[in-house]
Amino acid sequence: MAVAFVVGCDGGESVVPGEDDTPEKTSFFDTLMVQGAGDLPGCDGSREGRAFFVRNDNLAHFCVNGVWRKASDSTDFSITCSDGFLHAVGKTFYPIPLLDQGQGAGVYRATLSGTVRNGPFVFGTSVSLSEAREENFYRSESVSSGNACMVSNDGRYVMEEITTASDYAKISATGYYRNIVTGRTSGNPVTLSVLTKVAGNGDSANVNVLTHLEIPRIEQLAMNHIEFGAAKAQAEREIFAAFGIDTAQLYSQNFYTDGRMEKPVAEDLDLVGNTDYNAALLAIAAMLQGDRNEGDMMNLINNLAEDIKGDGVWNDPNWKIKIADWVVGMDSSWKYNDIRNNVSAWGVGPVPNFEKYMRAFFPIAYGFEPCGASNAGKVTYVNQGQSVYFANDYEHADHSRVRFICDANGFQWRVATAIEKDTAGFGAGEYDREIREGRVNHDTYYIFDSGKWRVATPQEADGFTDIAEVYANLKSNEKAVFIIRHSERTNDTGPSGHLTDNGKKYARELGERIAAVGKEDFYFGYSGYTRTQETCEGIAQGKGQANYSLDVLPYMDGAWYVKDADKADAYVDSEGGWEVYSRYAFTGAYDDAFYDLETRSEQLLKDEILANISSMKRVNVMCTHDYLVVPLLAYTTDGHANVRYYEKYRWVNYMAGVAMIISADGSVRYIPVKGLDSGTM
């Protein structure tokens, strides 16, 4: 054989990234591709024998004797390939191997062709064929019978004048490939193989990840004297099943377009084409690729093949969960489109509906029950500790907030939306405009409105509007009375108990925010307790009001709603004050100890406040206690205020309460207000 002109890669330009390089980096291989022949670099001595790929021709071009030549015009040079790279060599003759006459008449093929795709293998891929014998094809010994070099970029290969002494052959392809997930050329070459029956099987055999995975299992079954066709069919069923693919449903679909009804074998399949078979193959290839580099991917593929080899079952739950986690990440951000766009951009055929098979995989890995009509709408969580989406229980959000729903449209599990997982099991609200905390996102609130749950607005969720904001939006002909709880107190709950230093600071800061809106003087009234007096004083000082009225208002006493103090105290001692006052306010409980809520609230608002409004100012602040504010909130919001401590453990915060807005015509509206960031605690 003549000496090669030059090796297909040389010097510093030919450095190939190592296996530790991430898929995000541009492959060296991509630098060997140009759009048109006019974009080829100079064909000089430094590039003699080298190959570049021209996209417009979909062919490799070689630098031969100072001229760029198409691979299809190799009249005076031969093409060889190794390690994924093409070489131009002197023209020579490769004899067809002689048959061993003791092995039979042999099988002759004028051509044997197919595709090599895990993403299309690109130009420079070497394809070799080795004979295998039915009685021992599971052994390593083989006879090389043919080889070819891929000169196009679409993953297609052609071997010419192939003769084998056996009906069976192993075809292996080594080269770089287009990564399904990233869309870029791989950083390193990989090898995939197919074990096929060349006799009576047409003149084509595709190489893909399914054909590669099934080989060890076929060999194992053959050792148990199972006929090749049966072994191959069983291995394919088992691999599909390992990825959660229902083979009964799959095999019910027609594959061929020429009227044939038989089911295809793995080497008939491709990543593209509008059939469920090709969709299943594309899904498996994508899941095995994931975000792995070539070395990690092949390690996973080969380990999986060995795992399935023995009993036909994938017995490694850790790998299943890792793949499932990756699929869920794709599903939750709808990155399936990235794969679809990558495959479509290669122009090798239509992209099948692979998404459904990826979605079918993760529920099996996580151990979910099948999704069907009986459990449509059910929401669940991952209880597998190896998963990044693990949760201790449904409402536990420390590890992961991802939850899954059985979708009634198509009956497949998918990632649940925020409202689906947060309101799961709520049912109908107990009353219109009820507010509930999300079951998973505990900082998100939902409101039952017009017969269904929706996300509450910030004001609805908290239920309170900032006092300064209400004041800022007050019309010039309106009056306002802010009835609020005192600021943060000390542990002394008696009449002489003071505010904490923080409590005094909060009151002054509220006054400062009010002063930023307007400078008019306010009227101040308090319950007679030291902490309510200090709250009103702090607000006045913060707003810079030196002269202000500060009156004791008996109706601002915290016991305003108490009818029988002894009975009320007994209930409080037994059950706790927040429990008792909230249950009374929202359910009417303890009617032997408290007044009727509506009657007593109207007495406060009309007989005490409105009756004396003329002696006050346009804006008035009344500082009181939580035992008055909670029942008043329940009344003025028609039971919608989010302070149902007995039910939701929510209590009114410091300096929160009710704004009473009196219009010029005498009508009154009520707004829950807050003086701190939140209206509840």
Side-chain angles (χ1 to χ4, degrees):
M1 183 173 64
V3 178
F5 288 120
V6 124
V7 178
C9 49
D10 65 298
E13 290 185 64
S14 62
V15 176
V16 178
E19 289 188 359
D20 58 343
D21 283 6
T22 63
E24 285 70 26
K25 294 184 179 180
T26 300
S27 169
F28 167 73
F29 220 90
D30 290 324
T31 67
L32 301 179
M33 289 186 277
V34 296
Q35 190 61 42
D39 301 314
L40 288 165
C43 178
D44 53 26
S46 67
R47 293 188 175 90
E48 183 70 19
R50 289 191 58 177
F52 273 70
F53 185 79
V54 178
R55 292 187 177 94
N56 289 348
D57 296 337
N58 194 35
L59 275 179
H61 288 223
F62 293 86
C63 179
V64 179
N65 295 327
V67 179
W68 286 106
R69 303 281 296 279
K70 289 185 179 181
S72 57
D73 182 26
S74 56
T75 55
D76 56 350
F77 67 95
S78 295
I79 299 170
T80 65
C81 47
S82 63
D83 298 325
F85 286 91
L86 291 174
H87 312 264
V89 298
K91 194 71 173 180
T92 189
F93 172 71
Y94 292 93
I96 299 173
L98 295 175
L99 297 178
D100 181 345
Q101 298 300 320
Q103 298 171 351
V107 177
Y108 171 77
R109 289 283 178 267
T111 61
L112 180 64
S113 62
T115 63
V116 184
R117 289 184 179 148
N118 194 46
F121 275 53
V122 300
F123 78 106
T125 297
S126 58
V127 184
S128 63
L129 181 146
S130 301
E131 296 181 10
R133 288 155 181 76
E134 186 171 15
E135 69 274 11
N136 67 350
F137 57 68
Y138 52 85
R139 297 178 183 173
S140 59
E141 57 201 50
S142 60
V143 178
S144 178
S145 297
N147 57 70
C149 295
M150 197 178 291
V151 295
S152 67
N153 233 19
D154 53 10
R156 296 187 180 277
Y157 75 91
V158 178
M159 287 186 184
E160 297 181 349
E161 297 185 338
I162 300 301
T163 301
T164 66
S166 169
D167 289 345
Y168 303 94
K170 182 177 183 180
I171 302 171
S172 297
T174 300
Y176 293 79
Y177 66 97
R178 295 293 194 185
N179 187 304
I180 296 170
V181 178
T182 67
R184 290 183 285 273
T185 307
S186 63
N188 292 282
V190 301
T191 298
L192 293 180
S193 301
V194 58
L195 186 60
T196 187
K197 186 175 183 179
V198 291
N201 195 44
D203 298 322
S204 67
N206 295 338
V207 182
N208 52 60
V209 68
L210 181 58
T211 65
H212 191 89
L213 284 169
E214 70 181 5
I215 293 175
R217 180 60 174 160
I218 293 173
E219 293 173 343
Q220 180 66 36
L221 292 170
M223 290 180 66
N224 296 328
H225 308 291
I226 296 176
E227 184 270 332
F228 178 79
K232 191 175 185 65
Q234 180 175 336
E236 289 167 9
R237 288 196 305 271
E238 291 166 342
I239 293 169
F240 279 133
F243 285 89
I245 296 170
D246 182 353
T247 51
Q249 189 279 332
L250 180 65
Y251 293 158
S252 69
Q253 307 297 311
N254 195 21
F255 176 76
Y256 299 102
T257 59
D258 58 4
R260 284 182 289 166
M261 299 303 295
E262 64 265 31
K263 78 175 181 67
V265 291
E267 52 265 43
D268 294 321
L269 306 186
D270 200 347
L271 298 180
V272 295
N274 291 321
T275 73
D276 279 357
Y277 295 91
N278 293 340
L281 176 61
L282 178 55
I284 292 173
M287 288 188 281
L288 292 174
Q289 176 67 71
D291 55 7
R292 300 173 186 86
N293 63 29
E294 297 77 41
D296 290 340
M297 180 193 70
M298 290 308 301
N299 180 59
L300 170 58
I301 290 173
N302 291 327
N303 285 340
L304 171 56
E306 284 299 311
D307 192 344
I308 292 177
K309 173 182 178 179
D311 58 6
V313 177
W314 191 0
N315 297 296
D316 189 340
N318 292 331
W319 266 120
K320 289 183 181 180
I321 289 173
K322 287 179 183 179
I323 293 174
D325 286 350
W326 179 80
V327 172
V328 169
M330 299 287 286
D331 189 57
S332 59
S333 55
W334 198 246
K335 287 191 174 180
Y336 296 132
N337 279 340
D338 291 349
I339 296 175
R340 180 167 288 278
N341 292 338
N342 290 339
V343 177
S344 178
W346 298 328
V348 293
V351 185
N353 182 20
F354 68 93
E355 294 93 339
K356 65 179 180 180
Y357 291 114
M358 291 180 70
R359 275 187 166 170
F361 176 74
F362 69 77
I364 294 175
Y366 293 149
F368 294 168
E369 62 183 303
C371 173
S374 63
N375 61 346
K378 179 179 179 179
V379 186
T380 190
Y381 64 100
V382 177
N383 62 4
Q384 306 287 341
Q386 310 97 309
S387 172
V388 297
Y389 300 111
F390 166 72
N392 286 332
D393 56 49
Y394 187 88
E395 298 186 359
H396 195 97
D398 286 356
H399 295 290
S400 171
R401 297 188 180 193
V402 176
R403 302 294 182 267
F404 301 85
I405 187 169
C406 173
D407 196 329
N409 297 318
F411 300 122
Q412 279 193 318
W413 288 99
R414 62 168 171 80
V415 175
T417 64
I419 194 168
E420 286 171 338
K421 63 189 175 187
D422 278 345
T423 63
F426 274 9
E430 295 184 11
Y431 48 87
D432 189 43
R433 299 188 67 77
E434 179 187 3
I435 295 175
R436 293 190 190 177
E437 180 183 274
R439 291 190 63 192
V440 178
N441 298 298
H442 303 304
D443 52 355
T444 302
Y445 291 86
Y446 298 85
I447 187 168
F448 190 69
D449 183 19
S450 302
K452 63 181 180 180
W453 293 98
R454 63 170 174 81
V455 178
T457 65
Q459 285 189 354
E460 289 171 333
D462 181 67
F464 295 82
T465 304
D466 189 80
I467 291 172
E469 181 180 342
V470 174
Y471 175 49
N473 289 284
L474 194 65
K475 296 178 181 178
S476 60
N477 60 354
E478 290 181 329
K479 293 184 178 182
V481 179
F482 294 100
I483 306 165
I484 61 172
R485 184 187 180 190
H486 55 75
S487 190
E488 184 182 88
R489 62 168 174 77
T490 63
N491 291 330
D492 184 354
T493 60
S496 300
H498 291 273
L499 297 181
T500 64
D501 289 342
N502 276 338
K504 294 174 183 178
K505 173 174 171 286
Y506 297 153
R508 289 194 301 271
E509 289 175 345
L510 173 57
E512 291 169 0
R513 295 204 311 275
I514 292 171
V517 175
K519 301 298 184 182
E520 66 183 297
D521 287 348
F522 286 9
Y523 168 85
F524 294 92
Y526 69 105
S527 68
Y529 280 49
T530 300
R531 57 183 176 273
T532 57
Q533 177 183 352
E534 291 175 344
T535 300
C536 283
E537 288 175 341
I539 295 172
Q541 292 166 4
K543 69 187 293 292
Q545 186 175 337
N547 299 314
Y548 54 87
S549 299
L550 182 57
D551 298 332
V552 174
L553 305 175
Y555 51 83
M556 285 292 108
D557 188 276
W560 172 258
Y561 286 92
V562 176
K563 179 172 63 176
D564 187 317
D566 290 339
K567 291 182 179 179
D569 289 345
Y571 287 129
V572 168
D573 290 343
S574 174
E575 302 175 35
W578 291 5
E579 174 82 14
V580 168
Y581 274 79
S582 63
R583 192 176 292 276
Y584 152 67
F586 289 95
T587 72
Y590 318 108
D591 57 358
D592 57 337
F594 296 94
Y595 291 108
D596 174 75
L597 179 70
E598 180 178 357
T599 301
R600 193 60 169 166
S601 297
E602 288 295 313
Q603 289 176 357
L604 174 66
L605 298 170
K606 293 181 179 179
D607 299 345
E608 299 295 346
I609 297 177
L610 283 178
N612 295 292
I613 196 71
S614 60
S615 62
M616 303 178 193
K617 295 188 179 296
R618 190 178 82 97
V619 182
N620 311 274
V621 176
M622 298 180 179
C623 300
T624 181
H625 305 267
D626 47 2
Y627 284 180
L628 181 147
V629 169
V630 167
L632 185 61
L633 277 166
Y635 173 72
T636 56
T637 65
D638 195 24
H640 299 156
N642 191 20
V643 288
R644 292 171 174 253
Y645 181 81
Y646 72 96
E647 179 185 72
K648 303 174 184 176
Y649 303 103
R650 291 281 178 178
W651 191 246
V652 67
N653 203 1
Y654 295 116
M655 293 196 301
V658 177
M660 182 181 185
I661 310 299
I662 303 114
S663 300
D665 61 4
S667 60
V668 179
R669 69 182 190 277
Y670 302 99
I671 303 173
V673 292
K674 59 186 178 183
L676 298 175
D677 290 339
S678 173
T680 60
M681 65 189 307

